[in-house]
Amino acid sequence: MGLAEKLSITAAFVFFMTGLLTGIWKYRCMATSANGAAPVYVNVAHRSSLMYAFAALLLAYFAKLSSFSELTNTLAAGAALTYFALAIFTYLIHGWLDDTSNQLRKPHRLGKRLLPPWMTPLFMWTLILAEVGGVAVLGIGALQTVWG
């Protein structure tokens, strides 16, 4: 098994456990809230963790099939998985702080602090590049094997 597959399966486990644990957090918030709702980003962290877990398994399978080198596959998987994890981490922070219902609303905040206006857009563009690029590389490598 290659490193890209190992990283992807490890990430799938971590993301899935995060999804399960944030489900407990979400339930606890709902059970103790006057309106029966959890903070928005507790919900987002819960759902995204579960979805990214299955996305990571898909990356592992693409990496297994990929015709590209192990280094290329590992860099592609690592880029996508890093940003999956950073997105989840960001959602966890916003859920914990309960500081926003939309992290992209300007001005961008983290708790009571304002973030520099360039920070969130830069993060989003690098996230897009890493996630789409990493998945594209692994997917194209897998398709070359399947159809080549």
Side-chain angles (χ1 to χ4, degrees):
M1 180 180 294
L3 182 57
E5 292 171 82
K6 291 177 183 179
L7 291 173
S8 297
I9 290 169
T10 301
F13 170 71
V14 171
F15 297 160
F16 196 66
M17 286 303 297
T18 302
L20 295 174
L21 294 172
T22 55
I24 296 167
W25 181 18
K26 178 180 172 178
Y27 164 73
R28 185 72 182 134
C29 289
M30 293 169 67
T32 59
S33 169
N35 65 354
V40 169
Y41 275 92
V42 173
N43 285 323
V44 172
H46 171 63
R47 290 186 201 129
S48 66
S49 298
L50 296 173
M51 288 189 291
Y52 280 136
F54 288 95
L57 287 178
L58 189 58
L59 292 184
Y61 194 62
F62 286 168
K64 178 179 181 174
L65 296 175
S66 179
S67 61
F68 295 134
S69 71
E70 183 58 32
L71 177 61
T72 299
N73 292 336
T74 300
L75 291 173
L81 294 169
T82 296
Y83 273 88
F84 290 174
L86 288 171
I88 293 167
F89 184 68
T90 301
Y91 305 149
L92 291 169
I93 291 171
H94 285 303
W96 182 262
L97 296 173
D98 195 14
D99 60 353
T100 185
S101 62
N102 182 343
Q103 70 179 3
L104 299 179
R105 182 180 301 127
K106 294 178 184 177
H108 303 119
R109 299 181 178 280
L110 185 60
K112 295 178 182 177
R113 295 178 186 235
L114 293 179
L115 297 174
W118 55 266
M119 185 177 279
T120 299
L122 176 63
F123 177 78
M124 293 306 297
W125 282 110
T126 59
L127 176 143
I128 290 165
L129 180 64
E131 289 185 357
V132 174
V135 171
V137 167
L138 293 172
I140 290 166
L143 290 173
Q144 285 180 344
T145 299
V146 169
W147 294 101

